[in-house]
């Protein structure tokens, strides 16, 4: 029998896992083992440190509920979600608007609204603005009938569900017209802190990071024949545009609030314009490209109950 040492253990594990029938699972698990072992060797990980890591993951699991997914927050704060989004974008058939984080506040239940409606139920005076833009294909041709789902924080910097699990505000679903146009009224979003009351927050604090996201508005765009787009716009003047704690903000997604935009479909209000380009769909796009989901859908899937497309990333 071969002697197991820190130098031979990795090959021993890989040899034993070589029986894995699913080729993709085999590739992923072999790489995971190689990199995990290399990580432990590189930092000379001690038993006490590894137990701390296991305690951290246990606490993250206990924090997960129908309202909260702590592991996605971990993936986000480690830049892994943004990396996977970037890798996903690189497989699109055509160059399109880049993906940005779905985040933990997406909910499948959102009202379908007519063009020009407000997604803010009680906007504070002076905070309202128009949000509009065109959804086109990669060549700039309008995509009519695209579903544009939008969600954001209110004037207090909180998502509706952070105040009450059942409230629905600052979210809505719109449909583009024949010119690919969507438009609505909303309030200027505010930057906010990610949830810091769990193990991921403790990690962020231990790293002396600020935990802030720059002001943004989320989009989930779907149209028949096109790859689904999960993205967000970011306000260019936000002080955290360059150091978003979850690495979602990016210069190509930055926009300004404009006082008198002559192209804005509703006059007399400040406005934000955000155009989006969609890539044609490939056969591979039939599986979800989302990193994240409505947390209740992830739990349903974990229990073997039917969950809608996209759940579980
Ligand atoms: C958000 O944009 O809502 C978000 C994204 C990742 C982690 C936390 C919040
Ligand atoms: Fe957000």
């Amino acid at each position: 029998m071969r002697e197991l040492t820190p130098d031979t253990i990795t090959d021993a594990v890989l040899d034993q896992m070589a029986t894995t029938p699913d080729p993709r699972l085999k590739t992923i698990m072999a790489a995971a083992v190689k990199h995990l072992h290399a990580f432990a060797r590189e930092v000379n990980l001690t038993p006490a440190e590894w137990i701390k890591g296991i305690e951290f993951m246990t606490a993250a699991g206990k924090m997960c509920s129908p309202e909260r997914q702590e592991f996605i927050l971990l993936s986000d704060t480690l830049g892994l979600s943004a990396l996977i989004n970037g890798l996903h974008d690189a497989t699109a058939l055509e160059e399109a608007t880049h993906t940005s984080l779905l985040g933990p506040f997406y909910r499948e239940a959102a009202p379908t609204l007519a063009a020009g409606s407000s997604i803010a139920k009680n906007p504070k005076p002076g905070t309202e603005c128009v949000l509009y833009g065109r959804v086109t294909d990669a060549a700039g041709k309008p995509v009519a009938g695209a579903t544009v789902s939008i969600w954001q924080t209110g004037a207090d910097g909180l998502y509706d569900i952070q105040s009450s699990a059942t409230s629905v505000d600052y979210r809505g679903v719109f449909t583009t017209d024949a010119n690919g146009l969507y438009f609505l009224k909303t309030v200027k979003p505010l930057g906010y802190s990610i949830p810091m009351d769990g193990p991921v927050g403790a990690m962020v604090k231990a790293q002396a990071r600020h935990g802030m996201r720059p002001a943004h508005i989320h989009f989930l765009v779907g149209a028949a024949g096109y790859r689904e787009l999960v993205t967000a716009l970011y306000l260019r003047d936000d002080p955290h545009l360059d150091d978003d704690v979850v690495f979602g903000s990016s210069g190509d997604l930055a926009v300004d609030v404009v006082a008198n935009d002559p192209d804005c479909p509703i006059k007399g209000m400040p406005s934000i314009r955000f155009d989006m380009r969609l890539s044609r769909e490939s056969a591979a796009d039939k599986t979800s490209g989302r990193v994240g989901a409505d947390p209740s859908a992830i739990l349903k899937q974990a229990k073997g109950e039917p969950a809608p497309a996209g759940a579980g990333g």
Side-chain angles (χ1 to χ4, degrees):
M1 191 208 163
R2 76 178 141 185
E3 191 185 335
L4 284 185
T5 69
D7 291 330
T8 62
I9 180 89
T10 306
D11 283 340
V13 177
L14 295 177
D15 286 351
Q16 195 175 118
M17 296 192 327
T19 49
T20 309
D22 179 330
R24 183 67 180 153
L25 179 65
K26 185 174 172 183
T27 303
I28 289 172
M29 288 306 297
V33 165
K34 277 190 225 164
H35 288 277
L36 276 172
H37 286 205
F39 149 71
R41 280 192 204 93
E42 182 182 323
V43 299
N44 206 7
L45 199 67
T46 68
E49 287 164 344
W50 183 222
I51 290 298
K52 265 202 170 265
I54 286 171
E55 283 168 1
F56 174 84
M57 289 185 281
T58 306
K62 285 187 180 158
M63 201 84 202
C64 294
S65 71
E67 286 80 41
R68 177 127 175 204
Q69 231 302 337
E70 195 73 358
F71 281 109
I72 294 183
L73 195 60
L74 179 61
S75 163
D76 295 343
T77 51
L78 296 180
L80 189 57
S81 304
L83 167 61
I84 291 170
N85 284 338
L87 296 172
H88 176 67
D89 285 348
T91 65
L93 284 184
E94 296 164 309
E95 181 65 20
T97 300
H98 289 158
T99 299
S100 188
L101 302 171
L102 186 79
F105 302 114
Y106 167 68
R107 291 295 177 272
E108 284 156 10
T112 300
L113 300 173
S117 306
S118 178
I119 58 169
K121 289 196 173 134
N122 293 302
K124 277 196 198 144
T127 60
E128 266 195 301
C129 69
V130 178
L131 169 61
Y132 81 102
R134 286 178 72 224
V135 178
T136 65
D137 68 9
K141 200 170 117 269
V143 177
T147 301
V148 181
S149 193
I150 293 170
W151 65 105
Q152 66 167 88
T153 53
D156 54 359
L158 293 175
Y159 285 87
D160 50 2
I161 48 176
Q162 290 179 292
S163 320
S164 139
T166 52
S167 81
V168 180
D169 206 355
Y170 307 111
R171 55 181 83 230
V173 184
F174 295 84
T175 306
T176 56
D177 69 11
N179 298 314
L181 182 74
Y182 71 91
F183 66 103
L184 56 134
K185 287 184 229 146
T186 184
V187 296
K188 205 178 143 192
L190 292 179
Y192 59 85
S193 166
I194 60 163
M196 294 288 274
D197 56 342
V200 173
M203 176 194 80
V204 166
K205 283 182 206 151
Q207 294 166 335
R209 294 160 69 186
H210 51 62
M212 292 296 291
R213 294 220 66 203
H216 60 274
I217 300 179
H218 294 274
F219 292 80
L220 177 71
V221 184
Y226 294 92
R227 173 185 265 207
E228 181 183 78
L229 173 66
V230 179
T231 192
L233 65 78
Y234 292 87
L235 296 191
R236 205 184 312 275
D237 61 0
D238 191 287
H240 291 299
L241 193 66
D242 277 330
D243 61 1
D244 181 357
V245 67
V246 291
F247 309 95
S249 57
S250 172
D252 53 316
L253 302 175
V255 295
D256 299 296
V257 181
V258 174
N260 289 306
D261 175 356
D263 296 330
C264 179
I266 303 175
K267 305 288 181 237
M269 283 169 82
S271 62
I272 299 172
R273 177 176 184 158
F274 189 58
D275 296 333
M276 290 171 281
R277 267 172 302 121
L278 305 181
S279 162
R280 274 178 301 124
E281 186 179 48
S282 72
D285 292 336
K286 300 286 180 208
T287 61
S288 171
R290 301 182 201 171
V291 180
D294 182 330
S296 62
I298 297 178
L299 279 197
K300 269 193 202 159
Q301 208 179 36
K303 286 191 207 150
E305 294 169 24

